[in-house]
Amino acid sequence: MKAALLGFGTVGKGVAGIIDQGRDKDTAGLEIVRILKRTPADDPRITLDYRDIEACDAELVAECMGGLEPAHTYVRKALEAGRHVVTANKKMLAEHYIELAGLAKEKGVRLLFEATAGGGIPWMAALRRLRRIDDVQSFRGILNGTTNYILSAMTDAGLDFGEMLKKAQELGYAEADPTDDIDGYDVRYKTVLSAIAAFDAAVRPETVPALGIRHISAADIAWGREHGRIVKLIASGEKKDGRLSLYVMPQFLPDTDVLARIGRNFNGVEAVSTTLGPSTYIGQGAGRLPTGHAMVQDMLTIAKGEEMTAYEAAAAEVDNSRVEKRFYIRTVKPEVFAGVMAEAAGTGAFVTECMPLIDLLALIGQAGDPELFAAVVAD
Amino acid sequence: MKAALLGFGTVGKGVAGIIDQGRDKDTAGLEIVRILKRTPADDPRITLDYRDIEACDAELVAECMGGLEPAHTYVRKALEAGRHVVTANKKMLAEHYIELAGLAKEKGVRLLFEATAGGGIPWMAALRRLRRIDDVQSFRGILNGTTNYILSAMTDAGLDFGEMLKKAQELGYAEADPTDDIDGYDVRYKTVLSAIAAFDAAVRPETVPALGIRHISAADIAWGREHGRIVKLIASGEKKDGRLSLYVMPQFLPDTDVLARIGRNFNGVEAVSTTLGPSTYIGQGAGRLPTGHAMVQDMLTIAKGEEMTAYEAAAAEVDNSRVEKRFYIRTVKPEVFAGVMAEAAGTGAFVTECMPLIDLLALIGQAGDPELFAAVVAD
């Protein structure tokens, strides 16, 4: 199957390299005929002009440009032209899923997005496979390698957040502007896309509560260690009794939890489904070859006409009203939480009684402490 | 697709239940038309006579009888009759793979075996999927739930092996005769089948070195804890420079290793492949529904005509000559190991220098200590 590539950065180069070099594998059935790039290069397939992509004979478009525009417009046009699309662009797809999936259905083409969440981990494929037999009841996982690298290193080395962020930036694991990663927005998009794949439920990204790790301190990590717990940034989703709960928060996991032991910049995510129960998938959550691998898997799935069961996500609302947890809070405004405090946890920190997440979020809003750190104390 | 079921024990009931009740899923495309059982029951599909299976119009036979015969003969006959086969019978398939896979190829039908290793974990499917793009370079994993239950409980509770085995038997996690599980033979069959799926290499089961956990003591577990290590029974496979290494041994894993944290009776296995690097798959390794789920996934894969890339395993030889490790040994014959001893590890126990596995196995044979315990000290 002939394919066009939109974007020739880290992931695009991974996709092209895997296909160009994979002549003895199933990848031999794929061919990159055109590549859209921003600056000239000497590969004859490369163009700077989107009209060359429109004019080429690719049946499939692989989008790895990132950003909302022009990626959204290009993907829309590709679908309108009756081309299959695979994308690694979590933000664009989480924002525009309903429109783009509707268009794909109308045109009888496919829209796959393995590379948007969990990098090389076959997470979306695992969900599609589970759902051939099972209902997926819940998921939870580590879906951001940057923050996992920082948290793992803070846990292992006892270093502070600022030092670790700087090191992660030097190693290329974190962006110069790390907001999307450390404030949980990146995981929020991935949570939205996981809910689409797991529950057929497409929610607006901004309705998923997302708390990040920007204000975690070595003291918080130390409190976890003293209590046999390891902190991870966790995406959680559950569909139960018609209620869809989705939220992104740091969680102090028991150190016996497999997710607690996913180190370095790895990702890992668990689904719970009706007959299989829990199943967990772990691997490299980013990088040229792992993410390229995920995109090429989607391209092969389309070329082979596999995994064709039609799951149709509809617009849905987040309802976290049944989520009740104990929370760890560090704030300079503890008085706001006086009614829910259960035990002290060191200087300026405490653990709440088991309470509704939505009540906690209201109190956090009320406290207005820009450096507050909050985490679930998982059972 | 119409299917016949051979065997109606735990797994067979799981398969039938999932299909009979899965009317709103892809499983609606499957129908169990005949069931071979040893004793009468009131389901009209049940027969005690294999000739009724031969006479029925099933296109697919799902074998979950266990044992070598008559399972082997029935599977052979099904393939000869041009029927697809899925099996959960690791011992039978590991013994007869070359014959049965050749027959399937000759007849143009498929032979899938997801349920033979890792229960509900999509391990064989993960390997097939990886190989669409990658070469699999190595695998290692926990593939026996009984021994993992025993080792996890010994690690958590500090109990001795005999007590834990008794408890596992009471809970139904271990057989009355636990030899196959605790001496590593069960994992050996699973290792053979994993090597078929990962490397296209079919070895004779008896040529895979397998050391079990029968003689592990609370003192061994305690030594691990003191050294930040957790012991697990690990299947290992690697293909490198044309050499195929395969062995089954307890391993003291660093407690930061994800496999070290796979608790209870869960299974988990990691593949390392060219572009994805390491990817790990964890779930319930046994039980009515998880194993039933795995068999039904194979049945769906056949019914849908998916994952059709033909991997053809050929007869191969185990070559562990390049495997070099440090080993933990407890024996009443330490003098046999005098030349390789590196440090003491408590009463009657020691750790060797880094040395070839095949030399260690020769020394173990020479020692002739029936209660010797040996484990890899993993890096």
Side-chain angles (χ1 to χ4, degrees):
Chain A
M1 181 173 277
K2 290 181 179 177
L5 202 52
L6 306 184
F8 203 57
T10 304
V11 176
K13 283 182 183 134
V15 170
I18 289 168
I19 291 173
D20 292 347
Q21 287 152 36
R23 298 298 94 191
D24 64 330
K25 299 290 180 185
D26 288 12
T27 33
L30 299 173
E31 184 192 357
I32 306 281
V33 293
R34 270 301 204 185
I35 300 171
L36 182 70
K37 192 172 176 297
R38 278 187 224 153
T39 50
D42 65 358
D43 188 318
R45 299 173 295 182
I46 285 176
T47 174
L48 313 186
D49 186 346
Y50 182 69
R51 286 170 297 187
D52 290 334
I53 302 292
E54 288 185 301
C56 81
D57 59 349
E59 292 175 71
L60 185 157
V61 169
E63 187 265 310
C64 40
M65 312 174 70
L68 286 176
E69 288 296 346
H72 169 230
T73 301
Y74 290 172
V75 164
R76 185 165 42 76
K77 284 185 175 180
L79 293 169
E80 281 169 350
R83 288 166 167 166
H84 305 289
V85 169
V86 310
T87 178
N89 191 331
K90 54 199 162 277
K91 183 173 181 174
M92 184 279 292
L93 192 63
E95 292 287 352
H96 297 291
Y97 182 82
I98 293 275
E99 176 208 5
L100 297 176
L103 196 50
K105 188 186 173 192
E106 184 191 321
K107 295 290 179 178
V109 294
R110 302 184 74 186
L111 172 62
L112 295 183
F113 49 96
E114 185 66 69
T116 56
I121 301 169
W123 170 229
M124 298 299 169
L127 291 171
R128 283 199 299 275
R129 182 176 168 92
L130 285 172
R131 295 183 63 196
R132 306 201 303 190
I133 299 176
D134 281 4
D135 287 323
V136 175
Q137 299 161 320
S138 65
F139 67 83
R140 63 184 189 112
I142 296 166
L143 291 173
N144 181 278
T146 304
T147 49
N148 204 48
Y149 174 80
I150 293 172
L151 292 174
S152 300
M154 287 179 74
T155 301
D156 296 344
L159 293 179
D160 232 321
F161 178 76
E163 297 167 78
M164 284 320 310
L165 174 59
K166 190 150 167 277
K167 197 167 167 196
Q169 285 168 326
E170 284 163 10
L171 286 167
Y173 290 168
E175 308 283 332
D177 176 3
T179 300
D180 268 14
D181 290 325
I182 69 179
D183 291 332
Y185 303 132
D186 171 85
V187 180
R188 177 147 80 174
Y189 297 125
K190 293 166 175 171
T191 305
V192 169
L193 295 168
S194 297
I196 286 168
F199 308 130
D200 287 339
V203 305
R204 292 296 315 154
E206 64 275 14
T207 65
V208 177
L211 301 182
I213 63 161
R214 187 183 287 270
H215 301 297
I216 194 169
S217 69
D220 304 324
I221 303 270
W223 177 85
R225 187 178 301 116
E226 283 156 27
H227 291 78
R229 290 170 179 279
I230 293 173
V231 70
K232 295 290 182 187
L233 181 58
I234 300 288
S236 300
E238 183 172 30
K239 192 166 183 184
K240 195 173 178 182
D241 306 330
R243 279 190 179 77
L244 173 69
S245 72
L246 294 172
Y247 59 98
V248 177
M249 264 187 92
Q251 301 208 13
F252 284 102
L253 304 174
D255 65 7
T256 49
D257 188 324
V258 165
L259 295 187
R261 293 297 169 164
I262 297 175
R264 295 177 286 164
N265 61 336
F266 273 52
N267 284 197
V269 58
E270 173 194 85
V272 178
S273 65
T274 30
T275 71
L276 189 53
S279 56
T280 307
Y281 310 86
I282 301 170
Q284 295 193 52
R288 185 170 64 90
L289 290 176
T291 311
H293 179 106
M295 287 200 93
V296 176
Q297 287 286 10
D298 275 351
M299 295 167 78
L300 285 172
T301 296
I302 291 172
K304 290 165 165 278
E306 297 196 337
E307 301 175 21
M308 291 297 289
T309 301
Y311 303 113
E312 292 183 23
E317 302 286 329
V318 175
D319 179 352
N320 284 323
S321 61
R322 293 288 178 89
V323 178
E324 303 203 348
K325 301 284 176 190
R326 292 192 306 139
F327 300 97
Y328 171 101
I329 310 283
R330 193 170 36 69
T331 176
V332 293
K333 295 280 191 64
E335 62 276 13
V336 175
F337 301 86
V340 298
M341 236 177 249
E343 52 184 291
T347 315
F350 54 89
V351 175
T352 71
E353 58 195 30
C354 186
M355 64 177 290
L357 171 63
I358 53 176
D359 291 356
L360 180 88
L361 295 172
L363 290 174
I364 288 174
Q366 201 179 318
D369 171 2
E371 303 207 338
L372 179 142
F373 173 71
V376 170
V377 181
D379 298 324
Chain B
M1 182 174 274
K2 289 181 179 178
L5 201 53
L6 307 183
F8 204 56
T10 303
V11 176
K13 284 182 181 135
V15 170
I18 288 169
I19 292 173
D20 292 349
Q21 288 153 38
R23 297 298 96 191
D24 64 330
K25 299 289 181 188
D26 288 12
T27 32
L30 299 173
E31 185 192 357
I32 304 281
V33 293
R34 271 300 205 186
I35 300 170
L36 182 69
K37 191 173 178 296
R38 277 189 224 152
T39 51
D42 64 359
D43 187 318
R45 298 173 297 183
I46 286 175
T47 175
L48 313 188
D49 186 345
Y50 182 70
R51 287 169 297 186
D52 290 333
I53 302 290
E54 289 186 300
C56 81
D57 59 351
E59 292 174 71
L60 185 156
V61 169
E63 187 266 309
C64 40
M65 310 172 72
L68 287 177
E69 287 297 346
H72 169 229
T73 301
Y74 290 172
V75 164
R76 184 164 43 75
K77 285 186 174 181
L79 293 169
E80 282 169 350
R83 288 166 167 165
H84 305 289
V85 168
V86 310
T87 178
N89 191 332
K90 55 198 161 278
K91 183 173 182 173
M92 184 280 292
L93 193 62
E95 292 286 353
H96 297 291
Y97 182 81
I98 293 276
E99 176 208 6
L100 296 175
L103 197 50
K105 187 186 176 191
E106 183 190 322
K107 295 291 179 176
V109 294
R110 301 186 72 186
L111 171 63
L112 295 182
F113 48 97
E114 185 66 69
T116 56
I121 301 170
W123 170 230
M124 298 299 168
L127 291 171
R128 283 198 299 275
R129 182 175 169 90
L130 286 173
R131 294 184 63 197
R132 306 201 304 188
I133 299 177
D134 282 3
D135 287 323
V136 175
Q137 299 161 319
S138 65
F139 66 82
R140 65 186 188 109
I142 297 166
L143 290 173
N144 181 277
T146 304
T147 49
N148 204 46
Y149 173 82
I150 292 172
L151 293 175
S152 300
M154 287 178 74
T155 301
D156 296 344
L159 294 179
D160 234 321
F161 178 77
E163 296 167 79
M164 284 321 309
L165 175 60
K166 189 150 168 275
K167 198 168 166 196
Q169 286 169 325
E170 283 164 11
L171 286 167
Y173 290 165
E175 308 284 332
D177 177 2
T179 300
D180 267 13
D181 290 324
I182 68 179
D183 291 331
Y185 303 132
D186 172 85
V187 179
R188 177 146 81 175
Y189 297 126
K190 293 167 175 171
T191 305
V192 169
L193 295 169
S194 297
I196 286 168
F199 309 127
D200 288 339
V203 305
R204 292 296 316 154
E206 64 275 13
T207 64
V208 177
L211 301 182
I213 64 160
R214 186 184 288 271
H215 301 297
I216 193 170
S217 71
D220 304 323
I221 303 271
W223 178 85
R225 188 179 300 115
E226 283 155 26
H227 292 77
R229 292 172 178 277
I230 293 173
V231 69
K232 295 290 181 188
L233 182 59
I234 300 290
S236 299
E238 184 173 28
K239 192 168 184 183
K240 196 173 179 181
D241 305 330
R243 280 189 178 78
L244 174 69
S245 73
L246 294 171
Y247 59 98
V248 177
M249 265 187 91
Q251 301 208 11
F252 284 101
L253 304 174
D255 66 6
T256 50
D257 187 325
V258 165
L259 294 187
R261 293 298 171 162
I262 296 174
R264 294 178 286 163
N265 59 337
F266 273 51
N267 284 198
V269 60
E270 173 193 85
V272 178
S273 65
T274 30
T275 71
L276 190 53
S279 57
T280 308
Y281 310 87
I282 302 170
Q284 295 193 51
R288 184 169 64 89
L289 289 175
T291 311
H293 180 105
M295 290 201 89
V296 175
Q297 288 285 12
D298 275 352
M299 296 168 77
L300 285 171
T301 296
I302 291 171
K304 290 165 166 276
E306 297 196 340
E307 301 174 22
M308 291 297 288
T309 301
Y311 302 112
E312 291 183 21
E317 303 287 329
V318 175
D319 178 354
N320 285 322
S321 60
R322 294 286 177 93
V323 178
E324 302 203 348
K325 301 282 178 190
R326 294 190 304 138
F327 299 96
Y328 172 101
I329 309 284
R330 193 171 36 67
T331 176
V332 293
K333 295 277 189 65
E335 62 276 13
V336 175
F337 300 85
V340 296
M341 238 178 247
E343 53 184 290
T347 315
F350 54 89
V351 175
T352 71
E353 56 195 30
C354 187
M355 63 177 289
L357 171 63
I358 54 176
D359 291 355
L360 180 88
L361 294 173
L363 290 175
I364 288 174
Q366 201 180 317
D369 170 4
E371 302 206 338
L372 179 142
F373 173 70
V376 170
V377 181
D379 299 322

